[in-house]
Amino acid sequence: MEVCSKLWDDVLSQTKVAIDKGSDSLWVALQVSSYLSSYGVTLPCVELATRFVSYVCWENNVSNSWKFLEKVMALKIVPPFLVLGLLSQRVIPHRNSCPAAFRLYMELLKRYVFCLKENISLPNHQHTMKLLDETLHLSQIFGPKQNEDGVLLMLFLFTITWQLVDTAIDDEGLFPITESIMKWPVKSQEMEVADNIYGEQMETYGYRMQRHNTFLAIELIGQFVENKVTSRILFLVRENMSMHWERFVQRVQLLIENSSALRNAKSGSIDMLLQLISVPEQIKSRPMQPSSLKSHTARSRPLINSAGLCVGISQSALWIPLDMILEDAIDGSQVNATSAVEIIKSMVKSLQGINDSSWHETFLALWISALRLVQRERDHIEGPVPCLETRLSLLLAIIPLVVADLIEEADSCSQDEHGLGRKDQLSGRHCEALIYSLQKLQDYTSLLAPPKPVKSAANQAAAKAMVFVSMTDIDTASLDGIRSMEMPINCAGTLHHLIIETCIARNLLDTSAYHWPGYINRHINELPHDFPVQVPGWSVFMKGEPITPAMIDALVSTPACSYAEIEKVFDIAVGGSNEERVAAATILCGASFIHGWNVQEHTAYFITRLLSPPAPAEDSDSHSHLISYATIINILLVGIAPVDSVQIFSLHGFAPELAGSLMTICEVFGSCFPNITWSLPTGEEISAHAVFSNAFALLLKLWRFNHPPLEYGFGDLPPVGSRLTLEYLLMVRNSHLVTLDKQLKNPSRRRFAKAAYSSTPKPIFVDSFPKLKFWYRQHLACIASPLTGLVNETTVHHTVDALLGMVFTKISRGNQSSKSCSSLVSDPRPNLPAWDILEAVPFVAAAALRGCAHGRLSPRELCTGLKDLADYLPATLVTIVSYLSAEVTRGVWKSVFMNGTDWPSPAANLLNVEEKIKKILAATGVDVPSLAAAGESSPAVLPLPLAAFVSLTITYKLDKASQRFLDLAGPALESLAAGCPWPCMPIVASLWTQKAKRWGDYLIFSASRTVFLHNPDTVVQLLRSCFNATLGLNNSIRSNGGIGALLGHGIGSHFNGGISPVAPGVLYLRVYRFITDIMFLTDAIVSLLIQAVSDIATKAAPGNLQKPQNSLKNDYLSLAEASTKVRLAASLGASIISLTGGLRLLQSLLKETLPSWFLSNHQSPGSTRGMLPTLTGYALACLVVQCGAFVWGIDDSSTSAASKRRPKIVECHLNFISNALNGKISLGCNDSIWHAYYSGLLSLMLKLAPSWILEMSREILISLSQGLRKCKEEELALALLRVGGITTLGPAVQLIVETTDF
């Protein structure tokens, strides 16, 4: 220690002597360097820097000392950065008393702070940065202890810049900076110092120098902005240290707004400071495409033509995923536990980023897609499927909720980012975009024509606007008159009027919309003479008039328009008299639920609450309190039983809440004896069995109860498609009780949390319902294995005997020759609770089926007996269906001849069904297997359980009473027949068509779908048809394509005036849920996408830039057009993957399909020509990112289980890319394809989904950046590290310093 101390004393003393003598500074510096080297001191020397700065400040503050300091910095005898850091602590606080020193400090700063590359390569650099951290307290000020040199360098540059800003602010006295709020000592401190060469004792000269120093400090800040390296590093601070950056920006803004020195500085200084605190352009828009495509692809304009159905290909076709997800949302074969609002909102946000669309473009695309959905089924087919009502609810209830949520979330996000002061401004901006989109919507007249069922409502909406504009003194009673009558004047109402009305009702617009040009077609001076002055409608009801039968009829048939109206009905249902409560329940299930689009989600919420009434505070009765609500509960159950009603609950996301309520009802009423009855207002009596059956049937519509458990899961992935088990529904319902702040920022989550807390504020599980749980386990066991476990002389055995005697004694009395039931005991109907009966029904069905198989029961007796059992307890139909479905899948029963004698025959119209199926599938190119073998030459055959099932269902009448049970059995029959060998489903369709001709079109279409379920090649052919139709590749590259070609005009329109081919997209959307093995689809989609790109590339213009001047119009595509088609093809493929298999297929795509494809050799003649390799790689990149966006979302707001698996899956794929870039694996594909793929994929992720990258590990991002640098992709490597967050700041700074040109 003494030797070291003596060494530094000698160095300083010799240096002082040389400086005092006026020796040449360079010679002195070289002597010091030689002297230190002789002692083995490593240069640059941090100890010398510390000691000499202390010596200069302030013992020897003379010019020669500063000259020597500059020389030792230039010769790297001392580390320049450390010297600058030490000087900043000593010089800045005394800049007024020592302005020359401050001037010299800034000159040294200007000379050495920008020499980053050479300074970070110096020996002892790591030690230097640690000393800088201690000197400037960087880790203490900015956060946790930093060990990375790059991060410390970034903080050092940020600190220097901030010090200069604070210095300028303090020098001009703009605000009183105190030491308590300063990060560094900047406040000027007076001190006595020796006079020096500059004559600092001269006050006037010193003041001028201080003013000049302020100018120099401001100019130096500008140089930090001008310098590419330092500006990029400062941008890293902006992106990753937002809290500190905001405080820094406040200081800079204060300087810009008030600094006189800045105004008098050289031109451009203000612009430089504004540039420092504004969003840099490279952050605003990162590349989305390979460089060879960027200059030829126009910015997306989603709706540049006014063709209502989007015939042909334009930028508007890029919104095709939205049309597909809307069409899929109304498929009644699957009830979704997730709100359609959430699903559509996620899709809209993803597509807005993918298409780079503005808010008004996004809103317009959303409205037009929903209008296309309605127009696609103007002539719907009848059957147990959602019809026009569901489509209208999606347009007029769901889409406005989506728009409202998008605006609220955008405002909330912007408010968090910009503060409370920006909220009103931002809200206005989004509302202006909505107004623009709705005004523009008037141009799409072909989409706005109202379907016949809502033409009256559209006219009433137009009339309301007409009266409002024409007559300022209109009252609510008169508006009620408009709501309740057919207008005698020509109002020309359209769907546009209905959309505007629902937006006004939801406070998205105000009544100024009535004054838009062209919104009303005329004015009136007075109401028509026959206009009703007072009608028993909602306004009269709101005034407190008593409820009369006439008023009930009016309120049931006329939808409520406001929350206050529907809330008052609910209050009456809760606290009114028995008659009023029954009336209120009836009103809630009327037009206010189906057509009350303005309040539909509130109506669904109130219905759910009424199905779970709270228990009285003092309930000493041993029976459940639900017993006293039986009448109201039954009215509600019957009222919401139709398929459209169930689907509306699903669209609003209330299926889990509804399921929880129904389970409680089933548990209670299923335990009651059937002799407990209640009287309805109509005089009809209902029993506990009826209430239970209605609740049970509705509960089972919420999940595909007849499908085997194999569908409920796959490996370590959550189940897809048939995942609505009772456990899953309750899990989703219970998740709504989680009140995390992040989740409650989501408007939909708030709605669901409110519903969950209002019904049962505690989690509920299947174990909460012992009777239901027992049946549920028996049901699953019955599906999984043959029925066993009936023990003689048990309660269940006695129940089975009683039921067998009940359902077959009538048959034995009517046919005395029959010996089939002679041994059965004739008993009256057993007085048993429903759960006890359901436990015995599988054994009854098994005995009946065995009896028929062995000839002891005729087919007619079998079906009639099962029908009698279902009539006794309608809920038994569910268990019968479940048992018969399970037995068909086992394949142990013989087939029976549908010969018209024992079993009904389909021969009368089987060939007609075949003809219609061929016409429906004509556009797909799929061959339909002949039905001749099951026609005239030989009787058709069906497995015995299926024959019994279809024969049982056709015994039902298509009346209102049976409809709700056929709506349950119909899809189960269709699903079961579809899984049986061809031609079972056409045979079933033929039989049912003879029974119910009005369901014939639905059944024939269902039969046509089964063609694709037995051969994967037909599915691939259907997908090929989807690509060809969308891209216009059927005949010519210029043939019409787009959304209209893919989805056509729905199903019903194809039966209007005769069968015609159904669009391939609609076919696929109605087929994919029934495909048992979907894992082959990723390979198929990739293959079809690459083939589509090849077809597009063959029509790309020679030279790959623009069309040749002498070419025919239809000969070539420009590169921009080709790129649009490629994006469209990728978008279609991503939509198919996300809809069909979601996370399962996405994981397969990223972990298996694409790595295998790139590792394989795909070289073929012509595969490297022109732009084909680039377009191919770009298409695959678009496929991956869009598929991920559709499944996971593009931000971190999703709370789905799929999004939680995103980091692991994405990192696995990025690791594959990293290994390939770093040469660890060899690829077999073309180099241009690979380059276009990885550059396009990473660029798209950076632009659209930076949160995905933020979830990646530091190691994978660093490895990727290293591989990208080897491929000369430094900018892409830097972008990855920059987005990677705080963990990759060090490597990002190092990369900036090493690769950025000054």
Side-chain angles (χ1 to χ4, degrees):
M1 182 64 67
E2 292 180 359
V3 174
C4 292
S5 177
K6 183 177 183 304
L7 172 65
W8 300 120
D9 291 341
D10 291 345
V11 170
L12 287 178
S13 61
Q14 293 175 19
T15 303
K16 185 177 185 306
V17 170
I19 290 175
D20 291 341
K21 289 182 179 180
S23 303
D24 180 68
S25 300
L26 177 61
W27 180 83
V28 175
L30 291 173
Q31 291 297 316
V32 170
S33 175
S34 176
Y35 184 75
L36 292 176
S37 298
S38 66
Y39 277 89
V41 177
T42 303
L43 302 179
C45 178
V46 296
E47 184 68 23
L48 178 61
T50 303
R51 290 176 177 270
F52 196 76
V53 169
S54 298
Y55 168 72
V56 173
C57 302
W58 300 98
E59 295 177 9
N60 198 13
N61 180 24
V62 295
S63 60
N64 284 341
S65 298
W66 284 95
K67 289 179 182 179
F68 172 75
L69 183 60
E70 192 276 332
K71 294 303 179 184
V72 293
M73 292 173 68
L75 296 173
K76 304 299 184 292
I77 299 173
V78 293
F81 286 168
L82 180 58
V83 172
L84 294 175
L86 292 167
L87 288 175
S88 71
Q89 295 293 89
R90 293 173 176 270
V91 173
I92 290 178
H94 305 292
R95 62 189 180 280
N96 288 341
S97 57
C98 302
F102 184 49
R103 169 70 179 276
L104 291 171
Y105 161 72
M106 287 192 290
E107 290 296 332
L108 292 176
L109 194 63
K110 185 187 304 183
R111 184 171 300 181
Y112 293 105
V113 79
F114 301 111
C115 302
L116 298 175
K117 184 181 293 187
E118 59 182 272
N119 281 317
I120 66 171
S121 60
L122 293 175
N124 291 337
H125 174 66
Q126 187 174 9
H127 183 48
T128 298
M129 299 312 298
K130 288 182 179 180
L131 286 177
L132 258 181
D133 182 19
E134 296 172 1
T135 301
L136 297 177
H137 312 292
L138 299 178
S139 295
Q140 180 180 345
I141 293 172
F142 293 108
K145 179 68 176 178
Q146 298 293 338
N147 297 316
E148 286 194 80
D149 299 343
V151 176
L152 292 173
L153 177 59
M154 178 191 72
L155 297 179
F156 167 65
L157 294 174
F158 184 43
T159 297
I160 295 297
T161 309
W162 198 329
Q163 286 177 336
L164 292 173
V165 171
D166 282 352
T167 297
I169 292 174
D170 182 54
D171 288 346
E172 298 202 62
L174 297 181
F175 71 102
I177 303 178
T178 64
E179 293 296 332
S180 60
I181 64 172
M182 290 295 300
K183 294 181 179 295
W184 308 274
V186 173
K187 188 73 175 177
S188 180
Q189 301 174 6
E190 298 300 327
M191 59 173 285
E192 294 183 2
V193 295
D195 294 344
N196 57 44
I197 191 173
Y198 295 107
E200 292 179 3
Q201 72 277 10
M202 300 174 60
E203 181 178 350
T204 302
Y205 178 74
Y207 175 76
R208 289 200 303 268
M209 181 171 285
Q210 292 172 18
R211 292 290 297 168
H212 186 62
N213 284 347
T214 303
F215 286 114
L216 288 179
I218 291 174
E219 291 177 4
L220 191 54
I221 297 170
Q223 291 185 28
F224 274 90
V225 181
E226 284 184 315
N227 186 277
K228 291 182 179 179
V229 179
T230 54
S231 64
R232 284 190 165 194
I233 293 176
L234 290 177
F235 291 151
L236 287 179
V237 179
R238 177 194 185 102
E239 292 178 324
N240 296 277
M241 301 172 62
S242 58
M243 183 179 67
H244 297 288
W245 184 260
E246 286 176 5
R247 294 175 182 171
F248 172 71
V249 168
Q250 291 173 359
R251 304 290 178 88
V252 176
Q253 288 174 334
L254 183 66
L255 190 64
I256 293 173
E257 294 169 0
N258 301 285
S259 172
S260 59
L262 183 59
R263 288 192 293 270
N264 297 324
K266 68 177 183 179
S267 60
S269 296
I270 293 181
D271 293 336
M272 290 178 190
L273 292 182
L274 289 173
Q275 180 183 350
L276 175 64
I277 62 175
S278 63
V279 179
E281 192 62 29
Q282 64 254 42
I283 295 177
K284 284 183 179 178
S285 58
R286 298 187 180 94
M288 279 189 63
Q289 304 166 324
S291 57
S292 55
L293 292 177
K294 280 188 287 187
S295 60
H296 305 293
T297 305
R299 183 179 178 270
S300 168
R301 288 286 177 240
L303 299 161
I304 59 176
N305 64 52
S306 60
L309 290 174
C310 250
V311 176
I313 296 178
S314 65
Q315 295 287 346
S316 59
L318 296 175
W319 291 88
I320 207 167
L322 184 56
D323 284 76
M324 294 185 70
I325 203 170
L326 292 182
E327 185 67 41
D328 185 68
I330 53 90
D331 182 10
S333 65
Q334 179 70 47
V335 173
N336 207 321
T338 305
S339 166
V341 175
E342 286 295 294
I343 296 172
I344 297 170
K345 187 169 60 178
S346 176
M347 175 63 74
V348 168
K349 290 193 289 188
S350 297
L351 288 176
Q352 184 190 28
I354 290 168
N355 295 334
D356 197 19
S357 303
S358 64
W359 274 108
H360 75 261
E361 291 169 339
T362 302
F363 288 147
L364 184 58
L366 181 58
W367 289 118
I368 288 181
S369 292
L371 284 168
R372 279 195 295 260
L373 178 76
V374 172
Q375 299 296 345
R376 209 172 283 136
E377 284 295 346
R378 293 177 64 90
D379 303 307
H380 63 273
I381 60 175
E382 291 192 54
V385 289
C387 299
L388 183 62
E389 308 296 353
T390 303
R391 294 174 183 265
L392 288 170
S393 293
L394 203 147
L395 167 67
L396 299 173
I398 298 298
I399 299 303
L401 283 172
V402 172
V403 171
D405 284 6
L406 285 171
I407 291 176
E408 181 177 342
E409 288 182 8
D411 290 347
S412 176
C413 180
S414 300
Q415 179 180 331
D416 292 341
E417 182 179 351
H418 301 288
L420 291 173
R422 293 285 303 280
K423 182 177 180 180
D424 293 339
Q425 175 185 348
L426 292 163
S427 179
R429 186 177 68 190
H430 294 117
C431 289
E432 287 175 3
L434 174 62
I435 291 171
Y436 176 88
S437 69
L438 290 173
Q439 290 175 335
K440 186 69 175 175
L441 200 60
Q442 295 180 96
D443 298 338
Y444 297 82
T445 54
S446 62
L447 288 175
L448 298 175
K452 188 176 180 180
V454 292
K455 193 168 185 179
S456 176
N459 284 333
Q460 290 166 9
K464 179 182 177 182
M466 186 185 306
V467 172
F468 184 91
V469 171
S470 303
M471 305 176 64
T472 57
D473 59 345
I474 190 73
D475 57 13
T476 56
S478 298
L479 293 180
D480 250 359
I482 295 175
R483 273 200 269 178
S484 63
M485 68 172 292
E486 292 288 342
M487 290 301 296
I489 54 179
N490 179 22
C491 302
T494 67
L495 291 175
H496 188 244
H497 293 97
L498 293 176
I499 292 172
I500 296 301
E501 280 300 310
T502 193
C503 288
I504 292 175
R506 295 183 181 279
N507 294 320
L508 295 173
L509 297 175
D510 56 35
T511 52
S512 63
Y514 294 156
H515 298 273
W516 290 351
Y519 186 72
I520 59 174
N521 63 350
R522 57 179 292 185
H523 289 74
I524 59 174
N525 297 322
E526 61 181 9
L527 294 174
H529 296 296
D530 57 349
F531 192 90
V533 178
Q534 185 80 4
V535 293
W538 285 100
S539 61
V540 176
F541 169 71
M542 293 300 289
K543 290 177 181 178
E545 293 293 326
I547 297 179
T548 63
M551 182 182 288
I552 294 173
D553 292 339
L555 300 186
V556 168
S557 59
T558 306
C561 287
S562 69
Y563 176 79
E565 293 174 344
I566 208 69
E567 185 182 34
K568 184 173 181 180
V569 176
F570 171 73
D571 291 339
I572 293 174
V574 172
S577 64
N578 289 335
E579 292 77 10
E580 289 176 333
R581 290 161 61 189
V582 169
T586 305
I587 293 169
L588 285 175
C589 296
S592 294
F593 180 58
I594 299 298
H595 290 155
W597 305 295
N598 304 342
V599 292
Q600 195 171 68
E601 76 277 16
H602 301 300
T603 308
Y605 163 68
F606 286 138
I607 290 174
T608 305
R609 283 191 62 181
L610 288 177
L611 289 172
S612 299
E618 297 180 0
D619 187 8
S620 59
D621 195 344
S622 58
H623 298 290
S624 171
H625 69 286
L626 294 180
I627 300 296
S628 61
Y629 291 91
T631 304
I632 295 178
I633 288 174
N634 192 71
I635 290 173
L636 295 171
L637 294 175
V638 174
I640 63 175
V643 174
D644 278 302
S645 298
V646 175
Q647 200 66 18
I648 288 171
F649 268 97
S650 173
L651 290 178
H652 285 286
F654 281 108
E657 299 301 329
L658 181 60
S661 300
L662 292 174
M663 290 180 197
T664 304
I665 295 171
C666 290
E667 187 73 16
V668 171
F669 287 92
S671 302
C672 294
F673 289 91
N675 55 2
I676 302 177
T677 60
W678 300 267
S679 296
L680 298 177
T682 59
E684 177 188 357
E685 284 196 350
I686 58 170
S687 66
H689 277 187
V691 178
F692 170 80
S693 295
N694 290 330
F696 196 57
L698 187 55
L699 174 62
L700 297 190
K701 288 178 184 177
L702 302 181
W703 58 292
R704 295 171 70 185
F705 68 95
N706 58 302
H707 282 243
L710 179 62
E711 287 195 21
Y712 297 153
F714 183 82
D716 64 338
L717 294 174
V720 178
S722 311
R723 63 181 183 178
L724 292 188
T725 61
L726 296 183
E727 293 93 342
Y728 181 80
L729 285 168
L730 291 180
M731 181 186 70
V732 175
R733 185 261 172 205
N734 293 337
S735 71
H736 296 159
L737 297 172
V738 179
T739 55
L740 299 179
D741 291 340
K742 176 182 176 182
Q743 294 177 342
L744 290 184
K745 289 182 179 179
N746 185 318
S748 294
R749 295 287 304 183
R750 290 200 301 270
R751 288 193 289 269
F752 299 141
K754 176 183 176 183
Y757 273 105
S758 62
S759 58
T760 305
K762 295 181 179 180
I764 55 178
F765 307 93
V766 175
D767 291 341
S768 307
F769 313 103
K771 299 286 188 180
L772 175 63
K773 178 185 177 182
F774 182 86
W775 173 86
Y776 185 48
R777 300 305 177 198
Q778 183 192 45
H779 162 77
L780 295 179
C782 182
I783 292 177
S785 61
L787 188 63
T788 58
L790 183 60
V791 180
N792 289 332
E793 300 305 323
T794 60
T795 302
V796 178
H797 183 261
H798 292 308
T799 304
V800 171
D801 284 344
L803 292 176
L804 285 171
M806 179 192 75
V807 297
F808 292 118
T809 50
K810 289 191 298 184
I811 301 175
S812 62
R813 288 199 301 266
N815 184 7
Q816 296 297 329
S817 61
S818 174
K819 305 298 183 183
S820 58
C821 302
S822 58
S823 61
L824 297 178
V825 179
S826 177
D827 288 333
R829 294 195 168 197
N831 186 30
L832 294 172
W835 289 122
D836 293 349
I837 296 173
L838 288 183
E839 183 182 359
V841 166
F843 300 102
V844 174
L849 200 61
R850 286 195 301 269
C852 183
H854 294 88
R856 295 195 299 271
L857 277 178
S858 70
R860 183 178 182 85
E861 291 170 338
L862 169 67
C863 297
T864 305
L866 293 178
K867 176 67 164 54
D868 287 342
L869 179 58
D871 288 342
Y872 166 60
L873 178 62
T876 59
L877 180 62
V878 172
T879 304
I880 295 171
V881 168
S882 175
Y883 172 77
L884 294 177
S885 299
E887 292 304 307
V888 170
T889 61
R890 292 193 234 286
V892 297
W893 298 92
K894 67 178 182 179
S895 296
V896 297
F897 292 101
M898 313 301 290
N899 52 19
T901 303
D902 298 319
W903 300 94
S905 173
N909 64 341
L910 189 58
L911 296 182
N912 182 45
V913 169
E914 178 184 8
E915 183 71 19
K916 291 182 178 181
I917 291 175
K918 289 181 178 179
K919 288 184 179 180
I920 291 173
L921 303 183
T924 65
V926 173
D927 293 329
V928 179
S930 176
L931 300 180
E936 298 177 356
S937 59
S938 61
V941 296
L942 291 178
L944 175 59
L946 179 57
F949 191 179
V950 67
S951 299
L952 170 63
T953 56
I954 62 177
T955 62
Y956 280 85
K957 296 180 180 179
L958 288 182
D959 54 18
K960 187 174 181 180
S962 301
Q963 184 76 43
R964 55 183 175 270
F965 297 104
L966 286 178
D967 288 343
L968 183 68
L973 174 62
E974 176 196 350
S975 175
L976 177 60
C980 293
W982 182 268
C984 288
M985 185 59 205
I987 293 173
V988 171
S990 299
L991 292 169
W992 252 100
T993 303
Q994 297 173 29
K995 166 70 177 181
K997 291 185 178 180
R998 61 190 180 97
W999 277 22
D1001 292 340
Y1002 158 75
L1003 291 164
I1004 291 173
F1005 177 76
S1006 298
S1008 69
R1009 294 185 294 183
T1010 60
V1011 174
F1012 303 98
L1013 305 182
H1014 304 289
N1015 184 357
D1017 293 339
T1018 59
V1019 178
V1020 175
Q1021 177 58 36
L1022 177 58
L1023 291 174
R1024 183 177 292 108
S1025 299
C1026 291
F1027 276 91
N1028 290 341
T1030 305
L1031 301 172
L1033 299 177
N1034 289 312
N1035 298 310
S1036 166
I1037 197 70
R1038 289 293 181 177
S1039 63
N1040 286 336
I1043 298 171
L1046 177 67
L1047 299 178
H1049 306 275
I1051 302 170
S1053 59
H1054 296 275
F1055 297 92
N1056 187 12
I1059 295 290
S1060 61
V1062 175
V1066 171
L1067 273 172
Y1068 184 78
L1069 289 175
R1070 299 297 176 261
V1071 165
Y1072 79 85
R1073 296 186 193 277
F1074 299 93
I1075 302 174
T1076 54
D1077 181 13
I1078 61 173
M1079 302 311 295
F1080 72 95
L1081 287 176
T1082 52
D1083 290 333
I1085 292 296
V1086 169
S1087 177
L1088 291 170
L1089 176 61
I1090 292 172
Q1091 181 59 51
V1093 172
S1094 178
D1095 293 339
I1096 294 169
T1098 58
K1099 291 294 183 177
N1104 305 318
L1105 297 177
Q1106 58 187 7
K1107 300 175 186 177
Q1109 294 181 354
N1110 298 327
S1111 66
L1112 296 176
K1113 181 179 179 181
N1114 291 338
D1115 284 346
Y1116 295 104
L1117 289 170
S1118 69
L1119 186 56
E1121 292 173 319
S1123 177
T1124 299
K1125 279 182 172 279
V1126 167
R1127 291 174 59 198
L1128 178 58
S1131 185
L1132 175 61
S1135 299
I1136 292 171
I1137 288 176
S1138 61
L1139 284 172
T1140 306
L1143 183 61
R1144 285 173 62 187
L1145 288 187
L1146 177 56
Q1147 176 171 305
S1148 174
L1149 177 71
L1150 294 179
K1151 286 188 172 183
E1152 300 170 12
T1153 302
L1154 286 178
S1156 298
W1157 192 89
F1158 285 116
L1159 291 171
S1160 304
N1161 188 347
H1162 298 282
Q1163 304 289 346
S1164 61
S1167 62
T1168 60
R1169 69 182 188 278
M1171 293 297 298
L1172 178 57
T1174 300
L1175 289 174
T1176 300
Y1178 176 55
L1180 293 173
C1182 289
L1183 174 70
V1184 170
V1185 173
Q1186 292 192 41
C1187 191
F1190 298 160
V1191 174
W1192 295 319
I1194 60 174
D1195 53 26
D1196 58 356
S1197 63
S1198 175
T1199 58
S1200 66
S1203 63
K1204 295 177 182 178
R1205 296 175 180 268
R1206 177 175 62 202
K1208 182 178 179 180
I1209 297 174
V1210 174
E1211 183 158 318
C1212 179
H1213 190 65
L1214 292 185
N1215 185 58
F1216 167 76
I1217 295 175
S1218 173
N1219 288 336
L1221 293 177
N1222 287 292
K1224 296 180 180 179
I1225 56 176
S1226 299
L1227 302 178
C1229 67
N1230 179 274
D1231 290 342
S1232 298
I1233 294 177
W1234 173 243
H1235 177 266
Y1237 174 72
Y1238 75 73
S1239 62
L1241 174 65
L1242 296 176
S1243 297
L1244 285 166
M1245 289 175 63
L1246 286 166
K1247 178 177 177 59
L1248 301 177
S1251 60
W1252 298 3
I1253 297 174
L1254 193 60
E1255 295 169 344
M1256 299 299 100
S1257 66
R1258 166 188 165 90
E1259 292 73 19
I1260 193 65
L1261 292 179
I1262 292 176
S1263 177
L1264 262 177
S1265 66
Q1266 292 171 348
L1268 290 169
R1269 289 187 66 181
K1270 294 177 182 178
C1271 299
K1272 311 300 182 185
E1273 292 280 358
E1274 289 84 1
E1275 289 297 320
L1276 197 53
L1278 175 59
L1280 274 178
L1281 295 174
R1282 188 172 64 194
V1283 175
I1286 197 72
T1287 60
T1288 56
L1289 282 180
V1293 172
Q1294 184 176 356
L1295 183 60
I1296 290 173
V1297 173
E1298 293 177 355
T1299 61
T1300 304
D1301 297 327
F1302 292 94

